[in-house]
Amino acid sequence: MSKGILTRLRLSSLRLRLVVVFALVALTAAVAASGIAYWLNREAVLTRTQDGALNDFRQEMQNRAATLPLRPTQDDLRRTAEQMASASGANYQVLLLGERAAGKPIVGASDPDDFTLADVPRSLTEAVDTERPVTEANPYPYHLFWQRTERNGTPYLVGGTRIDGGGPAGYMFKSLAAEKADLNSLAWSLGIATALAVAGSVLLAQVAATTVLRPVHRLGEAARQLGEGKLDTRLRVTGADELADLSRTFNSAAESLQKKVADMSAREESSRRFVADMSHELRTPLTALTAVTEVLEDEQDSLDPMIAPAVALVVSETRRLNDLVENLMEVTRFDAGTARLVLDEVDIADQITACIDARAWLDAVDLDAERGIVAPLDPRRLDVILANLIGNALKHGGSPVRVSVRTEDDELVIAVRDHGPGIPEEVLPHVFDRFYKASASRPRSDGSGLGLSIAMENALIHGGSITASNSVGEDGAVDGAVFVLRLPLDASGITREVQTRSSQGEVEEA
């Protein structure tokens, strides 16, 4: 078989199974047919040769050996044996066994160098010498017996009988080498025919597999394209068999899926647009509310003690609402795929210090970062990540929060660790989910529920990741939560669309 066929057989298990099944069926059928043909021909050849030789030997025994005297001489036996062998058309040797006196056997052979009494199986001589009672069913005391034997790898037919009423016993010895050669030739012919049948079945299996599997391959390729998002993929339907029905079913399913995805995309786009528009529209009144709350906060000490708590609540909720609107707009940009990076060479230690200082966390954060670690990052997005991770640690774990920076296998690794109660095991898989609440009994919190989700999105857009786990102390107890931020030190690892700073100036985020 060609290399292409072997490659297809390796790559397609279904094709391989079809070829193997075809080959096994053909092999079984060919071996069975060849075996039956060989057995029938073997029996026919051996039976024909055997019957011809034995019948001829019986006739010669009746015509020649029966005329010998009751006590023949060895020369009589030898001469008669030679006459029987030469007159025979079956080409066998003859050995006559008589008695010159009671208990004194003599042997005469047509060719003593080729056939002696030692070549006659003992079981055959015993059968020939056994006298059987004469009855209606058995009119003769002695019968003709035969046996197949082998000498030096050559098969022989040995037959023997005894003259009724007294007389010598005779044995014939015929070579079956010619018949063996004919049968070997027949076996080779049948073997070649079997091999050709198997080879032909493999070729037929290839043709059948190609005919059957070509539509299956097209169906698999179409399914792959459909899985890659090419929802307009359709199969060309020909014929009216089961594969054609399968193709029609696939086209119907693909069309239904395309319609549903289009509807879902339209609804999702509408929802994103609604959230973006709503967030944008809320910014104007929120700006006014923020200005008012700042004034009220400045005058809070001079307000009526009965009104001051309400003013404090309004200030707090306004700021929370403002943060929520900003986070919603950020999430909308990520979902719409419009978030872009503005890369710059950032000194990590300086960036973290600036983030902490801007939020007055210097006394609550322990920073372990060497100077001079520089990476191509978006400073604003890195600030968002750090603010969310450190703020979350301060809120839930309390101070001091430890921030450590190191490089590891071309990655920047920033670990934020607190010493609080840690994160429950059932919560760990969901800490980056949007609006996830660790306890249904506490649906309200000071945050928006989007901080860690936005941090993760900002890490992903850099080609990095964030993981959350619990730190275990020496006593085996949980000793705070650990968030690990990993970012690539090489900008080529960032796969999303990126805007970079040029020598002419900065390109701001769209």
Side-chain angles (χ1 to χ4, degrees):
M1 290 185 289
S2 67
K3 183 178 180 180
I5 293 177
L6 291 176
T7 301
R8 290 196 296 273
L9 287 178
R10 286 194 297 269
L11 295 180
S12 174
S13 59
L14 182 57
R15 180 186 296 271
L16 179 60
R17 288 198 296 271
L18 282 174
V19 171
V20 169
V21 168
F22 268 75
L24 288 177
V25 170
L27 180 62
T28 302
V31 168
S34 298
I36 293 173
Y38 179 80
W39 181 78
L40 292 176
N41 280 275
R42 178 179 181 275
E43 290 302 313
V45 168
L46 293 179
T47 300
R48 182 176 62 251
T49 301
Q50 174 181 295
D51 290 348
L54 293 176
N55 289 334
D56 186 85
F57 175 66
R58 179 188 291 110
Q59 189 66 38
E60 288 296 322
M61 286 290 292
Q62 293 175 354
N63 294 339
R64 298 182 185 274
T67 61
L68 289 172
L70 186 62
R71 295 283 187 265
T73 64
Q74 187 172 17
D75 288 339
D76 294 336
L77 294 176
R78 177 182 56 77
R79 186 168 50 253
T80 302
E82 291 175 350
Q83 292 174 351
M84 292 173 63
S86 60
S88 169
N91 191 23
Y92 53 75
Q93 300 298 327
V94 178
L95 183 146
L96 296 177
L97 179 62
E99 290 183 342
R100 66 174 178 271
K104 295 182 179 180
I106 55 175
V107 177
S110 61
D111 188 354
D113 295 331
D114 187 45
F115 182 37
T116 65
L117 189 60
D119 296 317
V120 180
R122 182 176 181 82
S123 58
L124 182 63
T125 59
E126 292 176 352
V128 169
D129 292 340
T130 300
E131 183 178 3
R132 289 163 180 78
V134 176
T135 62
E136 292 183 0
N138 181 43
Y140 304 104
Y142 298 102
H143 297 271
L144 175 64
F145 296 93
W146 60 270
Q147 186 174 335
R148 292 181 192 142
T149 185
E150 187 174 295
R151 187 181 68 180
N152 298 328
T154 302
Y156 287 89
L157 173 66
V158 182
T161 188
R162 178 177 288 277
I163 300 299
D164 295 337
Y171 296 94
M172 53 85 67
F173 192 66
K174 176 174 175 56
S175 173
L176 299 177
E179 286 73 14
K180 179 181 179 180
D182 292 341
L183 292 175
N184 287 341
S185 177
L186 175 63
W188 273 105
S189 300
L190 293 175
I192 294 173
T194 300
L196 292 176
V198 173
S201 71
V202 171
L203 294 178
L204 289 176
Q206 281 286 59
V207 174
T210 300
T211 303
V212 173
L213 295 182
R214 185 180 293 115
V216 177
H217 176 73
R218 287 200 297 264
L219 179 61
E221 181 65 20
R224 184 185 63 80
Q225 294 179 3
L226 195 65
E228 292 175 352
K230 300 177 182 178
L231 301 180
D232 58 343
T233 302
R234 299 292 185 274
L235 290 171
R236 182 170 57 87
V237 180
T238 57
D241 55 9
E242 290 81 357
L243 291 174
D245 292 339
L246 182 60
S247 298
R248 293 188 188 93
T249 303
F250 174 86
N251 289 342
S252 177
E255 184 176 356
S256 177
L257 178 62
Q258 184 180 21
K259 184 177 182 301
K260 290 183 179 179
V261 170
D263 293 341
M264 292 176 61
S265 298
R267 288 195 296 269
E268 185 179 359
E269 179 62 27
S270 177
S271 299
R272 283 200 301 263
R273 191 181 305 111
F274 172 76
V275 173
D277 293 344
M278 180 188 67
S279 302
H280 188 271
E281 292 299 326
L282 285 174
R283 294 185 75 175
T284 300
L286 277 176
T287 302
L289 283 173
T290 301
V292 172
T293 54
E294 288 176 355
V295 173
L296 290 174
E297 188 177 20
D298 292 339
E299 301 294 333
Q300 188 173 357
D301 294 337
S302 62
L303 294 176
D304 188 319
M306 298 295 293
I307 302 176
V311 171
L313 180 61
V314 169
V315 171
S316 174
E317 291 302 308
T318 301
R319 287 176 177 170
R320 182 172 177 273
L321 183 59
N322 189 62
D323 291 341
L324 179 59
V325 170
E326 292 295 332
N327 287 338
L328 283 174
M329 293 186 67
E330 185 76 358
V331 168
T332 303
R333 282 193 289 268
F334 280 118
D335 290 344
T338 58
R340 299 291 183 265
L341 289 178
V342 181
L343 294 183
D344 193 7
E345 294 295 325
V346 176
D347 187 297
I348 305 303
D350 290 344
Q351 182 69 26
I352 298 176
T353 301
C355 173
I356 297 172
D357 186 35
R359 293 163 178 81
W361 291 341
L362 287 175
D363 295 335
V365 177
D366 180 15
L367 177 60
D368 179 16
E370 295 183 4
R371 299 284 179 178
I373 299 178
V374 179
L377 302 170
D378 186 326
R380 186 187 72 81
R381 296 190 181 278
L382 178 60
D383 182 78
V384 171
I385 298 173
L386 294 172
N388 277 295
L389 295 182
I390 298 173
N392 184 75
L394 289 171
K395 182 185 301 181
H396 299 286
S399 61
V401 171
R402 180 176 177 80
V403 180
S404 60
V405 181
R406 68 182 187 276
T407 57
E408 186 179 283
D409 296 333
D410 297 328
E411 281 188 332
L412 171 67
V413 181
I414 302 176
V416 179
R417 177 184 175 185
D418 61 50
H419 294 279
I423 306 172
E425 291 296 328
E426 67 273 10
V427 176
L428 273 175
H430 306 286
V431 293
F432 297 105
D433 294 351
R434 297 175 184 177
F435 300 110
Y436 179 77
K437 301 296 181 181
S439 173
S441 63
R442 296 188 290 107
R444 180 179 177 81
S445 64
D446 295 335
S448 64
L450 294 172
L452 291 178
S453 175
I454 291 175
M456 176 62 83
E457 291 289 349
N458 279 299
L460 293 175
I461 200 175
H462 279 91
S465 64
I466 305 176
T467 57
S469 62
N470 287 318
S471 176
V472 180
E474 294 181 357
D475 57 354
V478 175
D479 184 21
V482 180
F483 285 82
V484 179
L485 168 66
R486 294 179 179 272
L487 298 174
L489 290 172
D490 185 0
S492 63
I494 301 175
T495 57
R496 299 195 184 188
E497 184 178 348
V498 172
Q499 294 176 337
T500 58
R501 300 178 186 271
S502 64
S503 59
Q504 288 77 18
E506 295 182 357
V507 179
E508 295 298 331
E509 178 184 353

